């Protein structure tokens, strides 16, 4: 056995301290060698006036140990408190969220007795960039950012995870029939990366039907990789339909650090009663032991846990009179698992981490950045305007001195309303006005014309919100068409 591995532990809020004590007790009794640094995060830190919920000294510990075992925390009600989870994930670059969702039928009731799905969720990008603006009286915007290196890292991680864990298939969920550029990139990168893993089956589903299938027949899926928001929603669905959100753990993996946790919250109403189920946090701990290269302890602890579940020793949340034998407390459950260390489940499939080589996953790096040949071809000027019909706005814009640029299209919330809009289209006060330059105009000249156009827009008393430069990348349009164009 290796020497003790330094880790940072936060006992959290609500049921956090009880389930952390229970989980650490089992892991250490199973042989985990942990050199624990404890940090204070969450409610008490928020209420001391720190809006991030984490002190600078805690960051020092995390940077030192690079491994964070975190109990759930309570975010105080009311505005101004930032999500600690999002802060930790993004600050430490934890780009991959890995959540195994397994059913334990017939010992824990579930409609899906043969479910064993791993959700791999991109953790840093998408709508979680947190870039939002109120643009007009009526319209608000949240930017969805998907990058090529971000997509490549997460997709590669999903395939590496499948390979190391003997999984057969990786499925990708996106909505690229609608979001052709952002989700389209994620899907394209998935297809490219899949070619490097010929032994693993790959497939893509549009997220809506994919989610429906996953909720209905999860046994069709193995590893599923997806962008942040879809993964956030679907990983909870997957955990819940497997049996309970109280049973799933998750890993947040980065190039430098990793964080392991339960997927549920701090359940404040159950706090201090010694009744909560420690299984989610415990299984997060099993993922941690594999990550830090202690697969023997991970295997011993996980198999004893499976045997305990199988023996019908259950906390209140999963106790059902026909499937359970004994209702136990948080600490009683930990005692029962510790009593079974060295035993394996008889009906459920035992885990095998020592011979499968799960000794810390490789963390993929994105390929060197590729620079495209870019050409600016026009500009979308977004206006806040509520003074008439689309034709009136077009008349005002056409009267401007727009230099070499000409008005090509106006959309309202993405739908083309000029030229030849439909009278039925509902219009709000948010207009995208697309101006195109003549073909072959030099890059510097077109930028110059864009600046002049904005000056003219401003001088005409039109209220511009923002612009988006329209570019081609290696000859391919880097902007979407208007709906109806
Ligand atoms: P929750 O997950 O804490 O509780 C939802 C329900 O599940 C409750 O009925 C609760 O009693 C039950 N439950 C959850 N975990 C359980 C366990 N281990 N054993 C038995 N029952 C369990 O969600 P919530 O009530 O929406 O949130 C409570 C607090 O937790 C909030 O402050 C929220 O911000 C925070 N939260 C933190 C995290 C985190 O730290 N990762 C995640 C989600 C929510």
């Amino acid at each position: 056995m290796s020497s003790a591995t330094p880790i940072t532990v936060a006992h959290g809020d609500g049921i956090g301290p009880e389930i952390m004590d229970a989980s650490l007790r089992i892991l250490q009794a199973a042989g985990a060698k942990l050199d624990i640094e404890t940090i204070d995060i969450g409610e008490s830190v928020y209420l001391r006036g720190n809006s991030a919920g984490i002190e600078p000294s805690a960051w020092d510990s995390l940077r030192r140990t690079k491994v964070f075992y975190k109990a759930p925390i309570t975010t105080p009600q009311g505005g101004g408190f930032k999500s600690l989870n999002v802060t930790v994930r993004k600050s430490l670059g934890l780009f991959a969220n890995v959540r195994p969702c397994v059913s334990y039928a017939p010992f824990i009731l579930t409609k899906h007795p043969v479910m064993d799905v791993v959700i791999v969720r991109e953790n840093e990008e998408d709508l979680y960039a947190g870039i939002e603006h109120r643009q007009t009286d009526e319209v608000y915007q949240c930017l969805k950012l998907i990058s090529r290196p971000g997509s490549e890292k997460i997709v590669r991680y999903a395939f590496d995870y499948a390979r190391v864990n003997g999984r057969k298939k990786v499925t990708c969920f996106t909505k690229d029939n609608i979001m052709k550029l952002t989700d389209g990139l994620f899907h394209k990168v998935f297809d490219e990366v899949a070619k490097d893993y010929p032994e693993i089956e790959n497939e893509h589903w549009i997220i809506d039907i994919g989610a429906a299938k996953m909720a209905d027949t999860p046994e069709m899926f193995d590893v599923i990789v997806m962008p942040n928001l879809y993964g956030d929603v679907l990983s909870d669905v997957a955990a819940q339909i497997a049996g309970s959100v109280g049973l799933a753990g998750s890993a947040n993996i980065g190039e430098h650090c990793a964080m392991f946790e339960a997927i549920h919250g701090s359940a404040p109403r159950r706090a201090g009663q010694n009744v909560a189920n420690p299984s989610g946090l415990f299984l997060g701990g099993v993922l941690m032991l594999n990550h830090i290269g202690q697969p023997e302890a991970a295997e011993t602890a996980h198999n004893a846990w499976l045997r305990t579940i199988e023996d019908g020793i259950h906390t209140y949340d999963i106790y059902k009179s026909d499937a359970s034998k004994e209702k136990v407390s948080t600490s009683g459950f930990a005692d029962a698992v510790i009593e079974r260390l060295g035993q394996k489940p008889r009906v459920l499939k035992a885990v095998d981490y020592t011979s499968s080589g799960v000794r810390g996953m490789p963390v993929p790096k994105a390929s060197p950045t590729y620079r495209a040949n870019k050409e600016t071809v026009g500009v979308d000027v977004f206006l806040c305007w509520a003074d008439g019909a689309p034709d009136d706005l077009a008349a005002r814009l056409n009267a401007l001195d727009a230099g070499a640029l000409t008005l090509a299209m106006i959309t309202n919330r993405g739908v083309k309303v000029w030229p030849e809009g439909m009278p039925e289209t509902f219009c709000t006060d948010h207009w995208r006005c697309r101006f195109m330059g003549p073909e072959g105009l030099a890059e510097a000249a077109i930028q110059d014309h864009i600046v002049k156009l904005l000056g003219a827009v401003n001088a005409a008393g039109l209220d511009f919100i923002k612009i988006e430069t329209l570019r081609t990348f290696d000859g391919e349009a880097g902007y979407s068409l208007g709906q109806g164009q």
Side-chain angles (χ1 to χ4, degrees), residues 15 19 70-75 85 246 261-270 276-278 316-317:
I15 59 171
I19 60 173
K70 177 186 149 295
I73 56 139
T74 301
T75 313
N85 263 350
E261 58 184 343
I263 70 163
H264 59 74
S266 58
R269 282 191 306 124
R270 304 285 177 188
N277 189 346
Y316 83 93
D317 55 314

Side-chain angles (χ1 to χ4, degrees), residues 41-55:
I41 56 164
E43 199 171 20
S44 58
V45 182
Y46 281 119
L47 297 177
R48 282 205 291 272
N50 179 322
S51 67
I54 179 163
E55 302 279 15

Side-chain angles (χ1 to χ4, degrees), residues 5 37 54 80 96 115 137 179 187 236 309 324 364 366 386 407 430:
T5 308
E37 287 186 17
I54 179 163
M115 176 169 178
D137 299 78
M179 284 160 276
H187 184 175
D236 269 20
I309 293 294
S324 308
L407 182 66
H430 184 276

Side-chain angles (χ1 to χ4, degrees), residues 60-118:
D60 294 341
S61 172
L62 291 172
R63 257 184 234 112
R64 204 164 36 240
T65 67
K66 304 187 186 337
V67 180
F68 189 14
Y69 192 27
K70 177 186 149 295
I73 56 139
T74 301
T75 313
Q77 294 291 314
F81 300 109
K82 295 201 197 92
S83 160
L84 182 78
N85 263 350
V86 176
T87 304
V88 171
R89 282 176 193 160
K90 294 192 72 167
S91 306
L92 297 180
L94 309 181
F95 68 88
N97 183 262
V98 181
R99 195 178 281 191
C101 299
V102 185
S103 59
Y104 305 99
F107 307 103
I108 296 175
L109 288 187
T110 168
K111 294 188 187 105
H112 302 291
V114 288
M115 176 169 178
D116 184 2
V117 173
V118 180

Side-chain angles (χ1 to χ4, degrees), residues 234-308:
L234 284 193
S235 56
D236 269 20
V237 173
Q240 182 64 34
I241 64 171
S244 160
V245 278
L247 286 175
S250 86
N252 296 273
I253 309 285
E255 221 170 290
H256 310 289
C257 302
M259 173 171 81
F260 302 87
E261 58 184 343
I263 70 163
H264 59 74
S266 58
R269 282 191 306 124
R270 304 285 177 188
Q273 297 161 36
N274 193 26
V275 294
N277 189 346
S279 298
L281 187 59
F282 164 76
L283 291 174
V286 168
L287 294 170
M288 174 180 75
L289 292 186
N290 277 318
H291 178 81
I292 62 179
Q294 300 193 22
E296 297 85 0
E299 186 176 307
T300 306
H302 199 164
N303 279 330
W305 179 85
L306 287 165
R307 181 61 175 268
T308 310

